[in-house]
Amino acid sequence: MTNKAQIEIRTSPHAHSGADVVQIMRTVALTLLPLAGWGVWRYGLSAALLLLTTLLGCLLAERLFNRLRGQPSSLGDWSAVITGLLLGLSLPPGFPLWMGLVAAFAAIGLGKALFGGLGMNPFNPALVGRAFVQAAFPAAITTWTPALFDGRFTNPVPSTLAWPFLRPADISPWLHERAVDGFTGATPLALMKYEGQSIPLTDLLMGGGAGSIGEAALLILVCGLFLAFKRMLDWRIPLSIMASTALFAWLAQLFDPSAPGPLIMLCSGGLMLGAWFMATDMVGSPMTSLGVLIYGVLIGFVTEMIRLFGGLGEGVMYAILLGNAAAPLIDQWTQPRVFGAAKAKARKSA
């Protein structure tokens, strides 16, 4: 008997980096920890409790939906950890914990389990959860607290511990007790858009003003570049988002000098977090080289339009969700031509 060589035939890609899904997810989750730590340092106990709530909520929801669908636990792939951290980082530090738990279940249930689980979700799950609570609790999600206030590690913001299904307490007396009467409760983007106030660039880079827990542009950039260096995200997506946002902001400022400039647009709000950690979701972003650039420009353009002309001060969340929805169509339009396909099609039609 002769031993025949075994040949295994597979479709592309044939080259493999060696990193599997678990390794990539774990690295991304660990890369988010410095950002979470910086947010806790700035906003204190409320931020820590909210991050813990969204993280545990996502893990609990993941396990629950696994059981309901009769599937083995997928907690080991770290995807729920990333969703929980990103969701918490995208919320205001004083957001009520029970609403954070609702956001976590919406993120996993509507953003992932509904579509079949990891790898089949067309939208970023963390953004789905945030969009849900943006619609359900518009007042709570636009209530901001100052950073670095005294007693932030011993006394949480009163709205943090609001009872489920009850309106959060008014935080004005709490702010008055801490002698922060001048605090308007507006984010840097809102101050610039509605009150014409300019914010120092250093505050935007380090997240010094009111905003979501994860708004620290410089730290996000460093963490994102680390992941790009490790080849665990497609650097062309954040680059095209940032470049297009800066370009459209520059053009807008040409027509209206009072409009925020490119640096302000890049470093404020959730643009950096969205560009580096949400828009780069491997499932919801295009796969072709031209497609990722179109995807990034689309997100940058929509973000700029919402920020300039929309009713909201922020627009990154909706821009990325729209980009996720358009990703399959972008992939279809930008498929590279298969070698020899044109001639075969011409012969067939002849």
Side-chain angles (χ1 to χ4, degrees):
M1 177 180 288
T2 58
N3 293 325
K4 294 183 179 179
Q6 299 295 317
I7 300 176
E8 186 178 1
I9 300 175
R10 291 183 177 180
T11 58
S12 61
H14 302 294
H16 196 278
S17 67
D20 58 18
V21 172
V22 175
Q23 285 178 286
I24 295 173
M25 293 288 178
R26 183 171 58 233
T27 304
V28 174
L30 294 177
T31 308
L32 286 170
L33 291 183
L35 192 57
W38 183 247
V40 171
W41 166 252
R42 288 187 302 137
Y43 296 109
L45 189 57
S46 289
L49 291 174
L50 183 58
L51 284 169
L52 193 62
T53 299
T54 54
L55 176 60
L56 294 178
C58 284
L59 292 173
L60 183 62
E62 181 88 1
R63 188 70 187 99
L64 175 65
F65 286 111
N66 284 153
R67 290 181 67 88
L68 291 177
R69 296 166 58 204
Q71 295 182 337
S73 173
S74 56
L75 295 180
D77 64 19
W78 287 73
S79 62
V81 175
I82 294 177
T83 300
L85 286 174
L86 284 176
L87 178 61
L89 290 170
S90 71
L91 294 173
F95 197 62
L97 299 184
W98 73 269
M99 294 183 187
L101 196 61
V102 171
F105 271 78
I108 298 297
L110 301 178
K112 195 161 77 171
L114 184 66
F115 297 97
L118 181 64
M120 290 175 278
N121 52 291
F123 302 101
N124 182 285
L127 287 179
V128 172
R130 194 190 190 284
F132 183 86
V133 290
Q134 174 90 46
F137 315 114
I141 208 169
T142 51
T143 299
W144 310 98
T145 52
L148 304 174
F149 59 85
D150 291 338
R152 62 188 181 279
F153 292 111
T154 53
N155 297 307
V157 181
S159 55
T160 297
L161 301 177
W163 286 99
F165 308 109
L166 293 181
R167 181 176 298 176
D170 182 11
I171 65 171
S172 299
W174 175 82
L175 288 171
H176 181 70
E177 289 175 5
R178 278 149 186 81
V180 285
D181 293 338
F183 180 72
T184 63
T187 63
L189 273 174
L191 288 174
M192 286 182 285
K193 181 173 181 176
Y194 300 114
E195 301 180 25
Q197 295 186 24
S198 60
I199 306 299
L201 185 60
T202 51
D203 281 356
L204 298 178
L205 287 172
M206 303 307 295
S212 299
I213 299 173
E215 290 183 14
L218 185 59
L219 185 55
I220 295 170
L221 183 62
V222 172
C223 294
L225 287 174
F226 170 75
L227 287 179
F229 176 75
K230 298 285 288 183
R231 297 188 176 184
M232 291 186 175
L233 59 77
D234 191 335
W235 59 269
R236 295 170 298 183
I237 294 175
L239 186 65
S240 56
I241 292 175
M242 293 166 62
S244 58
T245 301
L247 174 63
F248 293 128
W250 176 71
L251 291 174
Q253 209 172 34
L254 285 181
F255 291 98
D256 180 8
S258 65
L263 278 178
I264 299 297
M265 282 296 186
L266 286 177
C267 300
S268 58
L271 183 82
M272 281 292 186
L273 185 65
W276 286 96
F277 286 96
M278 294 176 172
T280 50
D281 189 322
M282 295 179 183
V283 185
S285 56
M287 293 182 288
T288 64
S289 298
L290 179 59
V292 294
L293 298 179
I294 295 174
Y295 172 75
V297 172
L298 173 66
I299 292 173
F301 175 75
V302 174
T303 300
E304 184 70 15
M305 291 301 103
I306 293 176
R307 285 183 172 185
L308 289 179
F309 306 111
L312 300 172
E314 181 60 274
V316 177
M317 177 183 70
Y318 294 111
I320 295 176
L321 289 174
L322 181 62
N324 291 156
L329 196 58
I330 294 174
D331 263 338
Q332 186 179 347
W333 286 344
T334 56
Q335 282 293 320
R337 187 169 65 86
V338 179
F339 182 74
K343 291 182 179 179
K345 186 176 180 181
R347 283 198 300 271
K348 190 174 181 180
S349 60

